[in-house]
Amino acid sequence: MSVPAEMNVTTPLNVAKRHLRDALKLKLKDVSHDSITSQSSTVYRTLANLDAYRNAQRISVFLSMPTGEIQTDAIVRDALRAGKDVFVPYLYKNPAAAPGLPARIMDMVRLRDFADYESLRPDKWGIPSIDPATVPERQRVLGDPDVQHSDSTLLDLILMPGVAFDMGPDNGAVRRLGHGKGFYDYFLFRQRLKATSLGQQGFPALLVGLALSEQFLSPPEGPVPVGPLDQPLDGLILGNGNIRGPLAAAPLNETD
């Protein structure tokens, strides 16, 4: 398996991305804890009223850093309570080590229940993380040939973090700047290959970013630099309740 050279090479594109990440890091330092809590609640309520979320059975949710991004605890708990299959990121050494491939990659592993979720311990960044010792017993979306896969190996909905987002001027697609490790890029690349091997056309999951309002760039602040590995998102839910991208046209169910 090969990936475009952009992933591990210093290029003008990667330099532009690094500069924007540095700028956003400074900007997000000024966002208060109370604002993050309030915006996270708004994102949760907005997502919970979307049919795209309500109808999804197999979802992945990023687990949040303590600061600088939307907190997803309420989303994880709601999805578990609704009986959805909830998968969260797991990082591990790439077993297919080769030039041009990342040394560490990401899969999505399934949470068993509330107790399992609450047993997760924070890593060095403060992100709740799966105990590697439990991974062999868990369902995984991708993994290696000898791991336990779930009965249906693809996701319906992937809720994604990011550093910065904006809208493409030509097609209205949501552009995302990640944290620079390429974990989601490579995961999405591998999931697309798996979908193709299963005879599916197009990308198999709905991709939705969750972001603080401060992470959405207006034209003077942008653009978000993107390359061939950067998958456009189907939608973006912001901390002020706004929805951007094609998802904005989806119906809201506000009966609750």
Side-chain angles (χ1 to χ4, degrees):
M1 181 188 304
S2 61
V3 297
E6 174 198 343
M7 180 168 289
N8 292 312
V9 176
T10 299
T11 65
L13 174 64
N14 288 344
V15 171
K17 289 182 176 184
R18 185 171 67 249
H19 288 165
L20 184 55
R21 288 189 190 100
D22 290 343
L24 263 291
K25 183 178 180 180
L26 292 175
K27 183 179 182 181
L28 295 175
K29 283 177 63 177
D30 294 332
V31 183
S32 69
H33 173 77
D34 287 347
S35 178
I36 291 174
T37 299
S38 175
Q39 292 194 55
S40 298
S41 295
T42 298
V43 165
Y44 161 62
R45 292 193 302 270
T46 304
L47 176 71
N49 283 321
L50 283 173
D51 285 343
Y53 169 75
R54 294 190 178 207
N55 295 335
Q57 179 57 37
R58 297 169 50 78
I59 73 171
S60 74
V61 187
F62 69 92
L63 302 181
S64 308
M65 298 183 294
T67 61
E69 67 181 4
I70 290 296
Q71 303 297 292
T72 58
D73 177 73
I75 296 170
V76 174
R77 293 179 183 277
D78 182 83
L80 288 170
R81 186 166 52 245
K84 299 182 187 295
D85 299 336
V86 181
F87 291 75
V88 298
Y90 168 65
L91 306 178
Y92 63 106
K93 182 179 179 181
N94 189 351
L101 293 182
R104 281 167 54 80
I105 58 178
M106 181 176 73
D107 200 353
M108 298 292 176
V109 300
R110 187 178 174 186
L111 294 173
R112 302 187 188 98
D113 49 32
F114 283 104
D116 184 29
Y117 171 55
E118 292 171 348
S119 74
L120 303 185
R121 294 291 176 261
D123 63 13
K124 63 182 180 180
W125 295 285
I127 303 171
S129 298
I130 296 290
D131 181 351
T134 69
V135 170
E137 305 164 0
R138 295 179 184 271
Q139 294 179 353
R140 292 170 63 176
V141 173
L142 298 174
D144 309 311
D146 58 342
V147 305
Q148 180 182 179
H149 293 287
S150 48
D151 294 336
S152 174
T153 56
L154 299 176
L155 297 166
D156 302 321
L157 173 65
I158 300 176
L159 301 177
M160 298 176 61
V163 175
F165 303 84
D166 74 353
M167 302 284 291
D170 298 327
N171 56 11
V174 177
R175 301 185 295 200
R176 167 185 174 269
L177 175 71
H179 289 276
K181 302 297 185 181
F183 293 133
Y184 272 92
D185 295 330
Y186 195 52
F187 173 78
L188 296 177
F189 175 76
R190 295 166 68 210
Q191 174 149 304
R192 189 182 302 108
L193 289 180
K194 170 158 281 190
T196 300
S197 72
L198 295 173
Q200 294 194 18
Q201 301 296 318
F203 197 81
L206 193 70
L207 305 180
V208 177
L210 308 178
L212 301 168
S213 297
E214 291 82 356
Q215 293 177 283
F216 187 76
L217 304 185
S218 60
E221 298 174 293
V224 169
V226 294
L229 274 180
D230 296 309
Q231 176 78 28
L233 305 187
D234 299 294
L236 174 67
I237 302 175
L238 293 169
N240 58 10
N242 288 344
I243 303 173
R244 302 298 182 117
L247 189 67
L252 281 173
N253 186 333
E254 299 182 301
T255 57
D256 290 352

